Amino acid sequence: MNHPRKDLLNISSLTDEEIHMLLDSAGPMKELFTKSVKKVPALKGKSVLTLFYEPSTRTRSSFEVAAERLSADVTNFTVSTSSVVKGESVQDTIATLQAMKVDYVIVRHYNSGLPNVIARHTCASVVNAGDGAHAHPSQALLDSFTIREVFPDVRGKRVLIVGDILHSRVARSTSLLMKRLGMEVAFLGPGSLVPRTEHSGIPRFSDFNEAFAWKPDVIYLLRVQKERQDAPFFPSAREYNKIYGVTEERLRRISGEGLYIMHPGPVNRGVEICDLAMDYERCLINRQVENGIACRMSILYHLTPQTQH
């Protein structure tokens, strides 16, 4: 990067050059840990704090492994999910972070914009690991990296994102990055869960037949938020599966057309996806997990904390 970047808060703030650099260096990072070398001393002596106000085993453990592979020291700071975080306690948290003199803070929070607040008030490099229904930049990078492994030239490739677009920070960040890289994106989901105002220029489909006619290359399934499953957008998990899930019948079509399947995890089997699909040869879900570590190593490696005073 021409100018050192302190934080990674969203995709829109990245330049094209930064996007390509983060994706390009994830390849060598993956080579490192899939071969015999388990650790490199790149961040030796640096400290990484994971600050999660919302549970997420997968994202947090992925950042932890990435930091450890770069030889950083990792500390977990789990905030009780029941505690309502008031403005005052966020200030307390920031003061604590400054006192601890950590170099990197990985933040996940249910309120949009909180990682930005922390980033403005601390010298540490802040990585947004998901805030509200706003952004999840590291997920977008690992998704795009995974597609680039399958299609070395991603321009013109079509990705169908299926599910709850409205509440999904993954859909926001991932669709934005994919379009920046020249891919085409479309949405399929219940009408009430596909926002009309946002995401202009993205086609929306109401059923799989319409979506298949669009000829996607990748089917990207979003996780149905368990906590919202009985909300009035759709009658039940079974009903959702029938209309929007990859059922065994749909899997036969996906397989026949050679399409790839992705999912940010964790998967609700029998809701978004049937068991058979998890073993389908073009299912990229396990590869996404592996690539998550590589991309997060790349992010930590390229961010530059400010010097602590």
Side-chain angles (χ1 to χ4, degrees):
M1 297 187 188
N2 292 338
H3 304 288
R5 165 175 283 277
K6 175 179 163 290
D7 309 302
L8 177 60
L9 301 172
N10 52 41
I11 291 299
S12 52
S13 65
L14 292 171
T15 64
D16 289 350
E17 181 195 15
E18 286 173 327
I19 287 169
H20 286 286
M21 191 185 59
L22 288 167
L23 292 172
D24 290 345
S25 70
M29 296 290 180
K30 184 175 176 177
E31 289 247 314
L32 277 174
F33 75 81
T34 49
K35 302 289 188 296
S36 56
V37 183
K38 289 288 179 241
K39 269 191 172 188
V40 289
L43 296 185
K44 200 166 178 60
K46 300 285 186 191
S47 55
V48 175
L49 180 79
T50 61
L51 180 64
F52 277 54
Y53 290 86
E54 191 183 71
S56 170
T57 312
R58 183 174 292 227
T59 301
R60 189 166 82 179
S61 57
S62 179
F63 269 112
E64 281 171 20
V65 172
E68 284 162 2
R69 295 269 157 88
L70 295 168
S71 303
D73 299 316
V74 182
T75 308
N76 282 321
F77 194 91
T78 308
V79 186
S80 156
T81 47
S82 61
S83 66
V84 177
V85 182
K86 301 181 178 67
E88 181 185 57
S89 57
V90 170
Q91 294 305 324
D92 293 344
T93 304
I94 290 166
T96 306
L97 293 177
Q98 288 291 60
M100 289 170 73
K101 300 217 181 314
V102 294
D103 299 292
Y104 299 86
V105 183
I106 317 299
V107 190
R108 174 173 286 223
H109 200 280
Y110 37 79
N111 287 339
S112 299
L114 189 101
N116 303 52
V117 174
I118 293 177
R120 281 200 300 274
H121 293 96
T122 174
C123 296
S125 283
V126 175
V127 180
N128 180 359
D131 63 329
H134 172 238
H136 196 345
S138 64
Q139 181 73 45
L141 287 160
L142 78 89
D143 290 337
S144 295
F145 177 77
T146 303
I147 293 176
R148 283 204 336 176
E149 280 190 325
V150 175
F151 300 110
D153 184 1
V154 298
R155 285 169 304 180
K157 294 300 172 198
R158 293 186 156 188
V159 182
L160 176 70
I161 300 181
V162 184
D164 179 354
I165 312 293
L166 185 66
H167 299 103
S168 174
R169 49 193 168 214
V170 175
R172 275 178 183 72
S173 292
T174 293
S175 60
L176 180 61
L177 182 54
M178 287 173 175
K179 290 191 80 171
R180 289 273 298 271
L181 292 169
M183 295 182 237
E184 293 181 42
V185 178
F187 292 149
L188 166 63
S192 54
L193 293 179
V194 181
R196 293 270 157 229
T197 50
E198 242 187 308
H199 306 292
S200 59
I202 294 182
R204 298 164 169 74
F205 302 117
S206 52
D207 66 55
F208 254 111
N209 286 332
E210 270 184 15
F212 280 132
W214 184 66
K215 298 276 182 235
D217 299 287
V218 177
I219 310 276
Y220 190 113
L221 305 164
L222 296 171
R223 188 174 76 85
V224 170
Q225 309 286 331
K226 279 268 169 64
E227 56 278 16
R228 302 195 188 102
Q229 231 170 54
D230 296 316
F233 327 112
F234 47 89
S236 67
R238 183 181 296 164
E239 192 68 14
Y240 181 92
N241 174 256
K242 203 164 82 179
I243 305 172
Y244 302 107
V246 171
T247 57
E248 291 187 12
E249 186 186 349
R250 280 190 194 112
L251 180 64
R252 284 194 287 277
R253 181 160 183 182
I254 286 168
S255 174
E257 296 184 15
L259 312 184
Y260 289 89
I261 295 176
M262 296 175 70
H263 190 298
V267 171
N268 294 311
R269 287 171 181 255
V271 182
E272 303 104 26
I273 193 166
C274 62
D275 281 337
L276 268 181
M278 296 298 289
D279 299 320
Y280 167 52
E281 64 202 20
R282 292 199 166 190
C283 175
L284 301 173
I285 297 172
N286 290 333
R287 196 193 289 202
Q288 283 171 275
V289 175
E290 190 174 63
N291 290 344
I293 296 169
C295 287
R296 288 166 178 135
M297 286 172 74
S298 177
I299 289 164
L300 292 170
Y301 179 75
H302 286 292
L303 292 180
T304 309
Q306 291 171 355
T307 45
Q308 306 271 6
H309 299 298

